[in-house]
């Protein structure tokens, strides 16, 4: 064999050796990460027992409450009074409506799409 062939073969072996060493480093890092994760899991508190689980109150399930809300209108200041500042408004943007009956569609009217004709 000539010297040129030895150089080509040697450079190929070096590349393989470097790739093998990098692979070992990555595998070692993954093993270290798994062991570190297991140590963290060991320090966490255990899972709750069956008697520590949440349960329904004695009165039973809590039901939702529905109510019709109306927006609070912000007064306009066309009379020249100073404008309303955010700190002068209260925290809720709506109030309980006087009429608590839910609005329904009128019979024969369209729904939310189209004119209500025969599609």
């Amino acid at each position: 064999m000539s010297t040129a062939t030895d150089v080509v073969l040697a450079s190929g072996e070096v590349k393989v050796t470097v790739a093998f060493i990098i692979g070992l480093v990555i595998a070692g890092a993954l093993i270290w990460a798994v062991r570190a994760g297991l140590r963290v899991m060991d320090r966490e508190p255990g899972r709750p027992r069956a008697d520590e689980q949440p349960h329904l109150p004695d009165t039973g399930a809590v039901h939702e409450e529905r109510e019709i809300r109306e927006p609070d209108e912000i007064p306009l200041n066309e009379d020249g009074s100073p404008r309303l500042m955010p700190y002068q408004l209260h925290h809720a943007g709506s109030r309980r409506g006087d009429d608590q009956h839910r609005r329904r569609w009128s019979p024969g009217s369209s729904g939310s799409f189209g004119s209500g004709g025969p599609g």
Side-chain angles (χ1 to χ4, degrees):
M1 282 198 207
S2 68
T3 309
T5 307
D6 291 338
V7 170
V8 170
L9 289 175
S11 66
E13 288 177 11
V14 169
K15 290 179 185 176
V16 170
T17 306
V18 169
F20 182 73
I21 291 173
I22 290 174
L24 284 177
V25 169
I26 290 173
L30 289 173
I31 291 171
W32 175 84
V34 168
R35 294 180 98 189
L38 290 174
R39 275 187 254 128
V40 168
M41 284 177 50
D42 287 341
R43 281 187 261 138
E44 291 178 351
R47 294 182 177 172
R49 295 187 311 266
D51 60 333
E52 296 175 341
Q53 296 291 334
H55 59 279
L56 284 174
D58 296 334
T59 58
V62 179
H63 300 285
E64 68 180 45
E65 182 178 322
R66 291 186 179 207
E67 66 180 7
I68 306 298
R69 306 287 294 176
E70 293 179 358
D72 281 340
E73 299 296 329
I74 297 178
L76 299 176
N77 55 357
E78 296 174 5
D79 60 344
S81 62
R83 67 184 181 138
L84 213 59
M85 300 305 285
Y87 57 84
Q88 294 170 319
L89 299 173
H90 59 280
H91 68 280
S94 64
R95 57 185 161 76
R96 188 173 197 273
D98 296 330
D99 182 20
Q100 289 296 311
H101 294 288
R102 200 170 142 208
R103 294 187 197 132
R104 301 286 183 181
W105 292 108
S106 300
S109 70
S110 69
S112 59
F113 299 105
S115 64

